Amino acid sequence: RKKLQVELRELQKKTDTTFILVTHDQDEAIAVSDRILVMHQGQIVQDGSPEDVYEHPVNRFVSTFIGEANILECERVSEKMAHTDFGDLALEKDPAWNANAESKVCGGIAIRMEDIHVCKNDENFPNNVFPAKILQRIFRGDYWELIAELPGENGKSLQLRVMTDPDEIYNPGDSVNLYMEPQYLQVLSD
């Protein structure tokens, strides 16, 4: 199947012909496409390059359909700040929060597990660093998937999925800090 994907791309370039591929396989769509249209309930919900659709999903459906994402519930604090149960998040871009500038409504924030960094307690970042506890470590071949728990307000906690290199070993019970770089936080429309 992977060989066929490469052959399809080569054939398309050789013949300079537009191909339309309809698939539910997100990896295949990303691998063979120059442009992706994501449909949900009969409507096109996002149109863009594979990189743009993956890195800047517009809503919850796209963020979890193309790749995997952690969804953080939030409310608006200011143009570039959102409040979550575990603290305030600085954002890089001015998101299209809501037509009503006074509204605190936030559709949520998506962040990919590879965009959350485990950092040492003595590392100093200006923002978006939160204490967490490792609950699980799952070997995925070329990376570790960690399930990390962030303590929240009113006794609530949030579990995030985090990806680390195979040579970074964190064990269940370890206390760590998680850093979420503002450029990778994507405010969703819903």
Side-chain angles (χ1 to χ4, degrees):
R1 188 173 187 135
K2 290 186 186 256
K3 185 178 176 187
L4 181 59
Q5 291 171 1
V6 172
E7 289 177 7
L8 275 174
R9 291 220 25 110
E10 289 173 1
L11 181 62
Q12 190 272 334
K13 287 180 186 198
K14 192 182 293 183
T15 62
D16 195 28
T17 304
T18 300
F19 286 21
I20 296 175
L21 174 66
V22 178
T23 182
H24 286 96
D25 186 325
Q26 301 87 344
D27 292 333
E28 184 174 69
I30 289 172
V32 302
S33 300
D34 295 317
R35 179 177 171 198
I36 293 178
L37 281 81
V38 180
M39 296 187 73
H40 182 60
Q41 296 180 339
Q43 302 293 316
I44 295 172
V45 292
Q46 189 161 356
D47 173 1
S49 70
E51 295 87 359
D52 189 49
V53 172
Y54 182 82
E55 293 173 4
H56 306 288
V58 295
N59 61 28
R60 289 171 190 254
F61 177 77
V62 176
S63 70
T64 56
F65 184 71
I66 301 291
E68 298 178 28
N70 293 290
I71 306 294
L72 312 174
E73 300 301 326
C74 67
E75 65 180 35
R76 175 184 177 171
V77 173
S78 65
E79 286 306 310
K80 292 187 178 182
M81 185 73 64
H83 179 74
T84 69
D85 284 340
F86 58 88
D88 289 342
L89 284 170
L91 307 170
E92 181 181 75
K93 301 177 220 104
D94 290 332
W97 288 103
N98 188 299
N100 178 357
E102 299 301 313
S103 175
K104 290 188 171 200
V105 173
C106 173
I109 295 175
I111 186 165
R112 304 275 180 206
M113 64 183 196
E114 64 268 23
D115 294 328
I116 301 173
H117 305 285
V118 179
C119 53
K120 297 176 185 158
N121 292 335
D122 60 351
E123 289 183 83
N124 192 12
F125 294 95
N127 52 33
N128 297 0
V129 178
F130 304 97
K133 181 178 181 179
I134 304 302
L135 299 179
Q136 292 182 43
R137 179 181 73 182
I138 305 157
F139 183 63
R140 299 287 188 195
D142 55 349
Y143 67 93
W144 287 104
E145 180 179 341
L146 304 176
I147 308 298
E149 182 177 56
L150 286 80
E153 298 172 348
N154 303 322
K156 293 181 184 178
S157 64
L158 173 70
Q159 291 184 9
L160 295 179
R161 294 172 48 235
V162 180
M163 178 188 292
T164 63
D165 290 331
D167 57 343
E168 291 182 61
I169 305 297
Y170 300 97
N171 295 304
D174 287 353
S175 292
V176 298
N177 284 328
L178 300 181
Y179 171 56
M180 297 178 218
E181 198 169 338
Q183 73 182 26
Y184 298 117
L185 297 166
Q186 183 67 35
V187 177
L188 305 172
S189 65
D190 64 350

